[in-house]
Amino acid sequence: MTGTYPATRLRRSRATAWSRAMHRETVLTPADLIWPLFVTEGQGVEDPVGSLPGVSRWSVDGIAARAKEAVGLGIPCIALFPNTPADKRSDDGAEALNPDNLMCRAIKAIKDACGNDIGVLTDVALDPYTSHGQDGLIDDAGYVVNDDTVAVLVDQAINQAQAGADIIAPSDMMDGRIKAIRMALEMGGHHNVQIMSYAAKYASAFYGPFRDAVGSGGLLKGDKKTYQMDPANGDEALREVELDIAEGADSVMVKPGLPYLDIVRRVHEAFAVPVFAYQVSGEYAMIEAAAAAGAGDREALVMETLLGFRRAGAAGVLTYHAPLAARLLNG
Ligand code: PBG
C-alpha cells in the first residue's frame, strides 16, 4: 500500500547513488549474456559484416580466440552461425551433416582452447546450408515440408553433438523437432547435451543483417511465414513453449527481443522454465545506427535494453553487444 504525498515521496529513495543502488530491483551480470558469433572459412580471417558495424565473421582460429576472450570477460556461452561457402550450399543443405563442416571445426577449436570453461550453443536449421535460404527442405511449390525436414535436423543436431556442442538450439520452427532431437540425443548417449528451443520465433523484419552475415539473404525468395510465427500472436507463443517443454526442451527462447518483451514476460510467468531473449541483428543495427547518428549514447542504450530483458523475466540474453556489455559490467 502506498501512502499519499507528502508522507510518501518516491523521489526520496532516488536522491543519492547509494540509495538507488540499494533499491535496485534487477541486476545484470556477464553471466546473463550469450555471445553470437559468425564463422567463415580461412585462416586469420576477420571479415566485417557490412550491416552490423563492429561485428565480423571469424575464421575458426579467430573463433577460438573470441571464445577465450569470452571466458576472460565472464560470458558463459557463445552461439555459433556459419557462413557456408556458396559451392557447399545445396537444395537439401547436406553440408549441415558433414562432420568436418565449418560449424563442427569451430566447435572443436573452441573445446580444444577452452574445454568446459565455456558453453557452445549451436544453431539447428538448414538456412546457412541451403541454396534457397529456407530453414528446411522445400517441395516443388516451394513449401517448407515439416517431417522430412525434422529428419534432417535430427542428423544435424547429432552431428553437432558429436563435435562437442553443449547446447543444441533449433531455430527452424518445424513442429515436433524438439521431441525428435531429444530422443536422438538420448539414444546417442548425449544425455547432458541441452536443448534451448527457439520456441517463440517470429517472422520478423529484424533478421536482415543476420542473413547478410551468414550469406543467405540474397538467396532467400519469399519469406518464412509458413513456419515462423505471426507477430500479431501472443497466446500461440505460450502453446509453442508448452509443447517444446513437453517434448524435452531444457530452456526456451523468445526472438526477436525488444518488440516481444511482453512474450518474455508471459512465458516467465506461465512456466517454470528458463526463458532467454535474442536481441537480434536488426536490433543491434538499430542501436548502432542511433549511436552513429548522435541520437543516443551507445553504452547507455545497450545497458538499458539488456536490463529491460532481465526486468521482463529473461534468464539471459543473446546479444552481439555481449563483449561490450561485459566489459562495462566488469568496470
Ligand atoms: C535461422 C536464424 C535466423 C536468426 C538466427 N537463426 C534468421 C532467420 O530465421 O531468418 C536470426 C538472428 C539475428 O537476426 O540476429 N534459422
Side-chain angles (χ1 to χ4, degrees), residues 33-78:
L33 305 171
I34 298 174
W35 186 9
L37 287 163
F38 299 107
V39 199
T40 195
E41 286 290 352
Q43 175 74 26
V45 177
E46 177 182 356
D47 181 18
V49 181
S51 51
L52 288 174
V55 173
S56 296
R57 307 172 190 91
W58 300 89
S59 50
V60 168
D61 54 302
I63 287 290
R66 298 289 74 68
K68 282 190 181 160
E69 183 184 342
V71 171
L73 289 168
I75 296 171
C77 185
I78 55 184

Short mmCIF file of all heavy atoms in Angstrom, two decimals, residues 33-78:
data_model
loop_
_atom_site.label_atom_id
_atom_site.label_comp_id
_atom_site.label_asym_id
_atom_site.label_seq_id
_atom_site.Cartn_x
_atom_site.Cartn_y
_atom_site.Cartn_z
N LEU A 33 24.79 -13.19 -20.26
CA LEU A 33 24.98 -12.90 -21.69
C LEU A 33 25.41 -14.13 -22.49
O LEU A 33 26.23 -14.93 -22.02
CB LEU A 33 26.04 -11.80 -21.85
CG LEU A 33 25.76 -10.51 -21.08
CD1 LEU A 33 26.98 -9.59 -21.15
CD2 LEU A 33 24.52 -9.81 -21.64
N ILE A 34 24.86 -14.26 -23.67
CA ILE A 34 25.30 -15.26 -24.65
C ILE A 34 25.74 -14.47 -25.89
O ILE A 34 25.02 -13.58 -26.36
CB ILE A 34 24.17 -16.25 -25.00
CG1 ILE A 34 23.73 -17.02 -23.74
CG2 ILE A 34 24.61 -17.20 -26.11
CD1 ILE A 34 22.52 -17.92 -23.96
N TRP A 35 26.93 -14.78 -26.38
CA TRP A 35 27.54 -14.01 -27.48
C TRP A 35 27.42 -14.77 -28.80
O TRP A 35 28.08 -15.80 -28.97
CB TRP A 35 29.02 -13.75 -27.14
CG TRP A 35 29.77 -12.85 -28.08
CD1 TRP A 35 29.27 -12.12 -29.10
CD2 TRP A 35 31.18 -12.62 -28.08
NE1 TRP A 35 30.27 -11.42 -29.73
CE2 TRP A 35 31.46 -11.72 -29.12
CE3 TRP A 35 32.24 -13.09 -27.29
CZ2 TRP A 35 32.75 -11.28 -29.41
CZ3 TRP A 35 33.52 -12.65 -27.57
CH2 TRP A 35 33.77 -11.75 -28.62
N PRO A 36 26.62 -14.29 -29.75
CA PRO A 36 26.52 -14.94 -31.06
C PRO A 36 27.72 -14.55 -31.94
O PRO A 36 28.07 -13.38 -32.02
CB PRO A 36 25.23 -14.38 -31.67
CG PRO A 36 24.59 -13.53 -30.61
CD PRO A 36 25.68 -13.15 -29.65
N LEU A 37 28.30 -15.54 -32.60
CA LEU A 37 29.48 -15.32 -33.45
C LEU A 37 29.31 -15.99 -34.80
O LEU A 37 28.72 -17.06 -34.91
CB LEU A 37 30.72 -15.89 -32.76
CG LEU A 37 31.25 -15.11 -31.55
CD1 LEU A 37 32.19 -15.98 -30.73
CD2 LEU A 37 31.96 -13.84 -32.01
N PHE A 38 29.86 -15.35 -35.84
CA PHE A 38 29.77 -15.87 -37.21
C PHE A 38 31.11 -16.47 -37.63
O PHE A 38 32.15 -15.83 -37.46
CB PHE A 38 29.37 -14.76 -38.18
CG PHE A 38 28.03 -14.15 -37.87
CD1 PHE A 38 27.93 -12.88 -37.32
CD2 PHE A 38 26.86 -14.87 -38.10
CE1 PHE A 38 26.69 -12.32 -37.02
CE2 PHE A 38 25.62 -14.33 -37.79
CZ PHE A 38 25.52 -13.05 -37.25
N VAL A 39 31.05 -17.68 -38.18
CA VAL A 39 32.26 -18.40 -38.58
C VAL A 39 32.39 -18.39 -40.10
O VAL A 39 31.40 -18.59 -40.82
CB VAL A 39 32.21 -19.88 -38.14
CG1 VAL A 39 33.60 -20.47 -38.14
CG2 VAL A 39 31.55 -20.05 -36.80
N THR A 40 33.63 -18.19 -40.57
CA THR A 40 33.87 -18.23 -42.01
C THR A 40 35.12 -19.05 -42.31
O THR A 40 35.90 -19.35 -41.41
CB THR A 40 33.98 -16.79 -42.60
OG1 THR A 40 33.87 -16.85 -44.02
CG2 THR A 40 35.30 -16.13 -42.21
N GLU A 41 35.29 -19.45 -43.57
CA GLU A 41 36.45 -20.26 -43.97
C GLU A 41 37.74 -19.44 -43.92
O GLU A 41 37.70 -18.22 -43.96
CB GLU A 41 36.25 -20.81 -45.39
CG GLU A 41 35.25 -21.93 -45.53
CD GLU A 41 35.72 -23.25 -44.90
OE1 GLU A 41 36.89 -23.35 -44.48
OE2 GLU A 41 34.89 -24.18 -44.81
N GLY A 42 38.84 -20.14 -43.88
CA GLY A 42 40.13 -19.49 -43.98
C GLY A 42 40.93 -19.57 -42.70
O GLY A 42 40.60 -20.31 -41.77
N GLN A 43 42.02 -18.79 -42.70
CA GLN A 43 42.94 -18.78 -41.55
C GLN A 43 43.28 -17.32 -41.29
O GLN A 43 43.58 -16.58 -42.23
CB GLN A 43 44.19 -19.60 -41.90
CG GLN A 43 45.30 -19.61 -40.88
CD GLN A 43 44.98 -20.46 -39.66
OE1 GLN A 43 44.19 -21.40 -39.74
NE2 GLN A 43 45.57 -20.12 -38.53
N GLY A 44 43.16 -16.89 -40.05
CA GLY A 44 43.48 -15.49 -39.73
C GLY A 44 42.53 -14.50 -40.37
O GLY A 44 42.89 -13.34 -40.59
N VAL A 45 41.31 -14.93 -40.68
CA VAL A 45 40.37 -14.05 -41.37
C VAL A 45 39.46 -13.32 -40.38
O VAL A 45 38.89 -13.94 -39.48
CB VAL A 45 39.48 -14.85 -42.36
CG1 VAL A 45 38.44 -13.93 -43.02
CG2 VAL A 45 40.33 -15.54 -43.41
N GLU A 46 39.38 -12.00 -40.52
CA GLU A 46 38.32 -11.22 -39.87
C GLU A 46 37.62 -10.44 -40.97
O GLU A 46 38.22 -9.56 -41.58
CB GLU A 46 38.86 -10.27 -38.80
CG GLU A 46 37.71 -9.44 -38.22
CD GLU A 46 38.13 -8.40 -37.17
OE1 GLU A 46 39.30 -8.33 -36.81
OE2 GLU A 46 37.21 -7.66 -36.75
N ASP A 47 36.38 -10.79 -41.21
CA ASP A 47 35.62 -10.24 -42.33
C ASP A 47 34.42 -9.45 -41.79
O ASP A 47 33.42 -10.04 -41.38
CB ASP A 47 35.17 -11.44 -43.20
CG ASP A 47 34.39 -11.02 -44.42
OD1 ASP A 47 34.47 -9.84 -44.81
OD2 ASP A 47 33.69 -11.89 -44.98
N PRO A 48 34.51 -8.12 -41.76
CA PRO A 48 33.44 -7.31 -41.15
C PRO A 48 32.10 -7.50 -41.88
O PRO A 48 32.05 -7.61 -43.10
CB PRO A 48 33.94 -5.87 -41.32
CG PRO A 48 35.41 -5.98 -41.55
CD PRO A 48 35.63 -7.28 -42.25
N VAL A 49 31.03 -7.55 -41.11
CA VAL A 49 29.68 -7.65 -41.67
C VAL A 49 29.17 -6.24 -41.91
O VAL A 49 28.99 -5.47 -40.96
CB VAL A 49 28.73 -8.40 -40.70
CG1 VAL A 49 27.33 -8.53 -41.30
CG2 VAL A 49 29.29 -9.77 -40.34
N GLY A 50 28.93 -5.91 -43.19
CA GLY A 50 28.59 -4.54 -43.55
C GLY A 50 27.42 -3.95 -42.78
O GLY A 50 27.46 -2.81 -42.34
N SER A 51 26.38 -4.75 -42.61
CA SER A 51 25.17 -4.22 -41.98
C SER A 51 25.20 -4.31 -40.45
O SER A 51 24.25 -3.92 -39.79
CB SER A 51 23.94 -4.95 -42.53
OG SER A 51 24.13 -6.35 -42.43
N LEU A 52 26.33 -4.84 -39.91
CA LEU A 52 26.47 -4.93 -38.44
C LEU A 52 27.80 -4.31 -38.03
O LEU A 52 28.77 -5.02 -37.75
CB LEU A 52 26.43 -6.39 -37.99
CG LEU A 52 25.10 -7.14 -38.03
CD1 LEU A 52 25.30 -8.62 -37.69
CD2 LEU A 52 24.10 -6.51 -37.07
N PRO A 53 27.86 -2.98 -37.98
CA PRO A 53 29.13 -2.34 -37.66
C PRO A 53 29.69 -2.84 -36.33
O PRO A 53 28.98 -2.86 -35.33
CB PRO A 53 28.79 -0.84 -37.59
CG PRO A 53 27.32 -0.72 -37.76
CD PRO A 53 26.76 -2.02 -38.18
N GLY A 54 30.96 -3.29 -36.36
CA GLY A 54 31.57 -3.80 -35.13
C GLY A 54 31.48 -5.30 -35.00
O GLY A 54 32.06 -5.89 -34.08
N VAL A 55 30.75 -5.96 -35.92
CA VAL A 55 30.63 -7.43 -35.89
C VAL A 55 31.33 -8.00 -37.12
O VAL A 55 31.18 -7.47 -38.22
CB VAL A 55 29.15 -7.88 -35.87
CG1 VAL A 55 29.03 -9.39 -36.01
CG2 VAL A 55 28.46 -7.40 -34.60
N SER A 56 32.10 -9.08 -36.91
CA SER A 56 32.82 -9.71 -38.02
C SER A 56 32.53 -11.19 -38.10
O SER A 56 32.09 -11.80 -37.13
CB SER A 56 34.34 -9.56 -37.82
OG SER A 56 34.71 -8.20 -37.85
N ARG A 57 32.79 -11.74 -39.30
CA ARG A 57 32.87 -13.20 -39.43
C ARG A 57 34.33 -13.55 -39.16
O ARG A 57 35.24 -12.91 -39.70
CB ARG A 57 32.50 -13.64 -40.85
CG ARG A 57 31.15 -13.11 -41.34
CD ARG A 57 30.97 -13.44 -42.82
NE ARG A 57 29.82 -12.77 -43.40
CZ ARG A 57 29.86 -11.58 -44.00
NH1 ARG A 57 31.01 -10.94 -44.11
NH2 ARG A 57 28.76 -11.04 -44.50
N TRP A 58 34.55 -14.60 -38.35
CA TRP A 58 35.90 -15.00 -37.99
C TRP A 58 36.19 -16.39 -38.53
O TRP A 58 35.31 -17.27 -38.51
CB TRP A 58 36.06 -15.04 -36.47
CG TRP A 58 35.80 -13.73 -35.77
CD1 TRP A 58 34.59 -13.28 -35.31
CD2 TRP A 58 36.77 -12.71 -35.47
NE1 TRP A 58 34.74 -12.03 -34.73
CE2 TRP A 58 36.07 -11.66 -34.80
CE3 TRP A 58 38.14 -12.58 -35.68
CZ2 TRP A 58 36.71 -10.50 -34.36
CZ3 TRP A 58 38.76 -11.42 -35.22
CH2 TRP A 58 38.05 -10.40 -34.58
N SER A 59 37.43 -16.61 -38.96
CA SER A 59 37.81 -17.98 -39.29
C SER A 59 37.95 -18.76 -37.99
O SER A 59 37.96 -18.17 -36.89
CB SER A 59 39.11 -18.00 -40.10
OG SER A 59 40.10 -17.21 -39.48
N VAL A 60 38.04 -20.08 -38.11
CA VAL A 60 37.98 -20.96 -36.93
C VAL A 60 38.99 -20.56 -35.85
O VAL A 60 38.66 -20.54 -34.66
CB VAL A 60 38.16 -22.43 -37.38
CG1 VAL A 60 38.39 -23.34 -36.18
CG2 VAL A 60 36.92 -22.88 -38.16
N ASP A 61 40.21 -20.20 -36.27
CA ASP A 61 41.22 -19.79 -35.27
C ASP A 61 40.77 -18.54 -34.52
O ASP A 61 40.95 -18.42 -33.30
CB ASP A 61 42.57 -19.57 -35.96
CG ASP A 61 42.49 -18.59 -37.12
OD1 ASP A 61 41.70 -18.86 -38.07
OD2 ASP A 61 43.17 -17.56 -37.11
N GLY A 62 40.15 -17.61 -35.25
CA GLY A 62 39.65 -16.38 -34.62
C GLY A 62 38.49 -16.67 -33.68
O GLY A 62 38.33 -16.02 -32.64
N ILE A 63 37.68 -17.66 -34.04
CA ILE A 63 36.54 -18.04 -33.17
C ILE A 63 37.07 -18.57 -31.84
O ILE A 63 36.56 -18.22 -30.76
CB ILE A 63 35.68 -19.12 -33.88
CG1 ILE A 63 34.87 -18.48 -35.02
CG2 ILE A 63 34.75 -19.81 -32.89
CD1 ILE A 63 33.75 -17.56 -34.58
N ALA A 64 38.14 -19.38 -31.90
CA ALA A 64 38.73 -19.90 -30.66
C ALA A 64 39.26 -18.75 -29.80
O ALA A 64 39.11 -18.75 -28.57
CB ALA A 64 39.84 -20.90 -30.98
N ALA A 65 39.84 -17.74 -30.47
CA ALA A 65 40.34 -16.58 -29.73
C ALA A 65 39.19 -15.80 -29.09
O ALA A 65 39.30 -15.31 -27.96
CB ALA A 65 41.15 -15.67 -30.66
N ARG A 66 38.08 -15.67 -29.82
CA ARG A 66 36.91 -14.97 -29.25
C ARG A 66 36.37 -15.74 -28.05
O ARG A 66 35.91 -15.16 -27.07
CB ARG A 66 35.80 -14.82 -30.30
CG ARG A 66 36.13 -14.00 -31.55
CD ARG A 66 36.26 -12.51 -31.28
NE ARG A 66 37.47 -12.15 -30.60
CZ ARG A 66 38.71 -12.24 -31.12
NH1 ARG A 66 38.90 -12.68 -32.34
NH2 ARG A 66 39.77 -11.90 -30.43
N ALA A 67 36.42 -17.06 -28.13
CA ALA A 67 35.93 -17.88 -27.01
C ALA A 67 36.78 -17.62 -25.77
O ALA A 67 36.26 -17.48 -24.66
CB ALA A 67 35.94 -19.36 -27.38
N LYS A 68 38.10 -17.53 -25.97
CA LYS A 68 38.98 -17.23 -24.83
C LYS A 68 38.67 -15.85 -24.27
O LYS A 68 38.67 -15.64 -23.06
CB LYS A 68 40.45 -17.28 -25.27
CG LYS A 68 40.99 -18.69 -25.39
CD LYS A 68 42.50 -18.64 -25.59
CE LYS A 68 43.08 -20.03 -25.76
NZ LYS A 68 44.40 -19.99 -26.39
N GLU A 69 38.41 -14.92 -25.19
CA GLU A 69 38.06 -13.55 -24.76
C GLU A 69 36.78 -13.59 -23.91
O GLU A 69 36.69 -12.94 -22.87
CB GLU A 69 37.85 -12.69 -26.01
CG GLU A 69 37.55 -11.23 -25.74
CD GLU A 69 37.27 -10.45 -27.04
OE1 GLU A 69 37.62 -10.93 -28.13
OE2 GLU A 69 36.67 -9.36 -26.93
N ALA A 70 35.81 -14.39 -24.37
CA ALA A 70 34.54 -14.50 -23.63
C ALA A 70 34.78 -15.06 -22.23
O ALA A 70 34.22 -14.55 -21.25
CB ALA A 70 33.57 -15.39 -24.40
N VAL A 71 35.62 -16.09 -22.13
CA VAL A 71 35.92 -16.67 -20.82
C VAL A 71 36.50 -15.58 -19.91
O VAL A 71 36.07 -15.42 -18.75
CB VAL A 71 36.91 -17.84 -20.95
CG1 VAL A 71 37.39 -18.30 -19.57
CG2 VAL A 71 36.26 -19.02 -21.69
N GLY A 72 37.43 -14.80 -20.45
CA GLY A 72 38.05 -13.73 -19.68
C GLY A 72 37.05 -12.68 -19.20
O GLY A 72 37.22 -12.06 -18.15
N LEU A 73 36.00 -12.48 -20.00
CA LEU A 73 35.00 -11.47 -19.66
C LEU A 73 33.90 -12.01 -18.76
O LEU A 73 33.03 -11.26 -18.31
CB LEU A 73 34.37 -10.93 -20.96
CG LEU A 73 35.25 -10.05 -21.84
CD1 LEU A 73 34.61 -9.84 -23.22
CD2 LEU A 73 35.51 -8.70 -21.16
N GLY A 74 33.90 -13.31 -18.53
CA GLY A 74 32.85 -13.91 -17.70
C GLY A 74 31.57 -14.24 -18.45
O GLY A 74 30.52 -14.48 -17.85
N ILE A 75 31.66 -14.25 -19.80
CA ILE A 75 30.50 -14.65 -20.62
C ILE A 75 30.47 -16.18 -20.65
O ILE A 75 31.45 -16.80 -21.06
CB ILE A 75 30.63 -14.07 -22.05
CG1 ILE A 75 30.59 -12.54 -22.00
CG2 ILE A 75 29.55 -14.63 -22.96
CD1 ILE A 75 30.93 -11.86 -23.33
N PRO A 76 29.38 -16.81 -20.23
CA PRO A 76 29.38 -18.26 -20.05
C PRO A 76 29.14 -19.08 -21.30
O PRO A 76 29.35 -20.29 -21.29
CB PRO A 76 28.24 -18.49 -19.05
CG PRO A 76 27.29 -17.36 -19.31
CD PRO A 76 28.13 -16.19 -19.73
N CYS A 77 28.68 -18.43 -22.38
CA CYS A 77 28.24 -19.24 -23.53
C CYS A 77 28.36 -18.44 -24.82
O CYS A 77 28.09 -17.23 -24.83
CB CYS A 77 26.78 -19.65 -23.29
SG CYS A 77 26.09 -20.77 -24.51
N ILE A 78 28.77 -19.11 -25.90
CA ILE A 78 28.74 -18.46 -27.20
C ILE A 78 27.88 -19.26 -28.16
O ILE A 78 27.76 -20.48 -28.05
CB ILE A 78 30.15 -18.23 -27.78
CG1 ILE A 78 30.93 -19.52 -27.86
CG2 ILE A 78 30.94 -17.23 -26.97
CD1 ILE A 78 32.33 -19.30 -28.32
#
